[in-house]
Amino acid sequence: MRFGSIIAFVALCSFTAYYIYEPIPEDIEERWKLMLTNSFFRSLSHLADLSELLGLKDYMGVMYFITLAEKIVPMSDEHIKVTEEQFDGVDVVLYQPKKSDGDTKLRTAVIYLHGGGWCLGSSLMSPYDLLARKIVNELDAVVLSVEYRLAPAYHFPVPYEDVYRVVKHFLHKGVLAQYSVDPGRIAVSGDSAGGNLAAAVSQQLQKEPGQQVQLKAQALIYPVLQALDLNTPSYQQNQDMPILPRYLMVRFWSEYFTSDRAFFRAMMANTHNSPESSSLLKFVNWSTFLPARYHRKYNYSAPTVVQGEEALGRGGASRSLADPRASPLLVPDSALHSLPKAYILTCEYDVLRDDGIMYVTRLLSAGVEVTHEHYDTGFHGGLMFTVWPTDFLIGRRMTENYIKWLKENL
Ligand SMILES: *[C@@H]1O[C@H](CO)[C@@H](O)[C@H](O)[C@H]1NC(C)=O
Ligand SMILES: *[C@@H]1O[C@H](CO)[C@@H](O)[C@H](O)[C@H]1NC(C)=O
């Protein structure tokens, strides 16, 4: 009996150790806490793979548990009025500072787009709710958090189009007046896939014929910006990093475009480019746009381009791949120079580091005002980790610096 429990205990320990142990760099703060947090994500990902293999529930369906676990019902408080509404048919959560009588002051506004690889996440997750409230309180701003529809149920361009519809609706002068928002002081912002949507919306809005109100700023937190080269130095260096390993990011990309598993496998091998996207590879050439210190030990080799039948079979996904509304890096400089000023946050231990840095380089050379904040010991998703028990010091620092930039630039 005792012997049996010892065996069980040892088995449990080695099982736990297997899941917890990760080659996490020494310089990451609160390393043990990150290992534990990550072991939860890894176990869930393995469970999701198993569930899909057994035909029980698809991978993203299981991963969605992360979203459900943190969902809350947004409530008004002493200072903030919170309402759930629909803007042009799309769900949004609106946070407004409560006014005292006779207050007619116009306010700034932040349109916020949550992360989660276009497949997971919600405005109603407690870290996003908390962040929205912080922005309202510190900037006396209106925050509009968009509950766009998600892949794989809704592939690209649906999530993007939901966001674009909301932004266009909100930027009507009459609507802004209704919420006492100053039309000259509106920002769009988002983290990870939300940063992707924020960058894409900023680009499209400046091309919109007859658009009177434009954005003043875009704040992109470890954004995803291109799907053409999934072997940049940061993808290689950080392929097994906590929270967002390369496998998961590639999975998000492929699910955004298609549920075809062959496309996922091609993306994993970085052989997913077709003649349609090959002429755009120059816009994501890291040997040109990444400062030499980020090249590390890696040598540039252009992604393989597939021709003929195999490429044709991918039809829709190939077209999406070449679309700048999915990959904002894929536009010429002439489409960048009139963009609103930008804040770009990147993390060293993140597969998406080089996406962000390449956009910094490209925006700067197109003449856009850019603030680049790089966290040498940062990991992907840091800003989300502000709620006990998964609260990290770096998450708090990221939040403070990000809000400080918004305060000074909006
Ligand atoms: C990438 O850039 C390097 C040097 O800047 C150049 O030699 C190479 O031809 C470029 N490749 C592509 C596909 O643009
Ligand atoms: C990169 O190229 C250099 C010079 O050709 C070579 O010495 C080095 O081994 C290459 N690095 C990798 C990781 O392939």
Side-chain angles (χ1 to χ4, degrees):
M1 190 60 201
R2 272 187 73 164
F3 188 65
S5 21
I6 290 169
I7 298 269
F9 181 71
V10 171
L12 184 71
C13 285
S14 46
F15 180 77
T16 311
Y18 167 76
Y19 271 104
I20 291 177
Y21 182 74
E22 274 287 320
I24 294 185
E26 296 282 342
D27 58 344
I28 288 190
E29 303 161 31
E30 303 175 279
R31 224 162 137 247
W32 276 100
K33 207 175 191 176
L34 184 59
M35 282 187 195
L36 278 168
T37 307
N38 192 46
S39 71
F40 167 75
F41 283 90
R42 278 217 305 168
S43 309
L44 190 65
S45 174
H46 286 209
L47 199 67
D49 272 328
L50 186 68
S51 157
E52 185 168 88
L53 193 72
L54 298 177
L56 298 174
K57 200 171 177 66
D58 63 280
Y59 180 86
M60 285 304 168
V62 176
M63 294 301 276
Y64 195 75
F65 173 76
I66 298 169
T67 308
L68 292 178
E70 293 203 281
K71 253 189 173 174
I72 48 107
V73 178
M75 307 268 254
S76 296
D77 63 28
E78 204 186 328
H79 306 290
I80 307 172
K81 180 175 153 197
V82 187
T83 51
E84 292 181 74
E85 314 202 3
Q86 284 211 329
F87 276 14
D88 197 11
V90 179
D91 293 337
V92 298
V93 185
L94 196 64
Y95 297 81
Q96 299 176 74
K98 282 187 178 161
K99 288 187 189 180
S100 44
D101 291 336
D103 180 0
T104 54
K105 199 178 71 182
L106 288 183
R107 305 179 194 285
T108 57
V110 176
I111 301 165
Y112 198 87
L113 312 170
H114 69 78
W118 311 279
C119 297
L120 313 174
S122 162
S123 314
L124 302 177
M125 286 170 79
S126 54
Y128 289 121
D129 178 67
L130 207 66
L131 181 64
R133 288 169 197 276
K134 249 182 212 144
I135 298 173
V136 175
N137 286 333
E138 299 217 12
L139 275 81
D140 191 32
V142 170
V143 173
L144 177 63
S145 197
V146 185
E147 197 67 347
Y148 55 88
R149 285 172 292 173
L150 300 175
Y154 300 97
H155 293 298
F156 174 81
V158 175
Y160 162 81
E161 280 175 345
D162 278 359
V163 172
Y164 199 58
R165 285 222 307 278
V166 167
V167 172
K168 281 208 317 199
H169 175 86
F170 186 59
L171 296 190
H172 281 124
K173 287 203 169 127
V175 177
L176 294 175
Q178 190 186 333
Y179 299 109
S180 304
V181 171
D182 181 345
R185 298 177 68 203
I186 304 164
V188 66
S189 182
D191 57 302
S192 197
N196 165 278
L197 296 165
V201 162
S202 303
Q203 287 184 5
Q204 299 304 313
L205 201 70
Q206 56 162 7
K207 298 198 307 193
E208 187 71 36
Q211 180 66 33
Q212 293 187 329
V213 179
Q214 285 288 345
L215 298 164
K216 184 175 185 191
Q218 51 178 328
L220 316 177
I221 298 158
Y222 33 76
V224 196
L225 295 166
Q226 58 90 24
L228 265 48
D229 189 354
L230 305 177
N231 265 346
T232 60
S234 61
Y235 265 106
Q236 296 185 59
Q237 175 191 306
N238 301 307
Q239 58 181 315
D240 295 318
M241 274 305 142
I243 316 303
L244 187 66
R246 181 174 183 270
Y247 173 84
L248 183 56
M249 188 60 234
V250 173
R251 189 80 197 227
F252 282 146
W253 262 127
S254 74
E255 298 274 5
Y256 193 26
F257 293 155
T258 172
S259 296
D260 177 3
R261 294 285 176 271
F263 196 67
F264 166 70
R265 287 190 293 273
M267 283 187 129
M268 278 302 281
N270 213 33
T271 56
H272 56 293
N273 281 277
S274 61
E276 271 170 297
S277 60
S278 69
S279 63
L280 302 170
L281 283 171
K282 61 175 187 278
F283 294 131
V284 297
N285 186 337
W286 61 261
S287 101
T288 313
F289 300 122
L290 210 55
R293 68 178 176 284
Y294 295 107
H295 291 195
R296 307 283 148 82
K297 62 179 181 184
Y298 305 102
N299 294 323
Y300 183 77
S301 68
T304 310
V305 177
V306 192
Q307 313 275 347
E309 295 264 314
E310 206 179 329
L312 284 175
R314 293 178 194 158
S318 288
R319 268 192 304 284
S320 305
L321 200 57
D323 194 325
R325 296 174 306 163
S327 293
L329 267 164
L330 305 185
V331 295
D333 286 3
S334 58
L336 295 174
H337 78 271
S338 58
L339 283 175
K341 64 179 158 187
Y343 170 87
I344 299 180
L345 186 161
T346 55
C347 293
E348 178 60 27
Y349 301 116
D350 181 1
V351 289
L352 300 173
R353 178 195 72 194
D354 298 344
D355 280 26
I357 299 177
M358 286 197 282
Y359 207 41
V360 170
T361 308
R362 295 215 45 216
L363 289 175
L364 283 174
S365 69
V368 179
E369 191 184 325
V370 181
T371 302
H372 179 205
E373 227 153 44
H374 181 70
Y375 288 81
D376 281 325
T377 60
F379 56 90
H380 190 84
L383 195 91
M384 281 291 282
F385 295 111
T386 51
V387 181
W388 188 87
T390 52
D391 52 326
F392 286 83
L393 292 169
I394 198 155
R396 205 181 302 166
R397 284 209 302 282
M398 284 178 180
T399 308
E400 278 166 13
N401 292 335
Y402 159 70
I403 290 182
K404 182 162 171 275
W405 185 87
L406 284 175
K407 244 182 182 167
E408 289 168 359
N409 289 276
L410 199 55

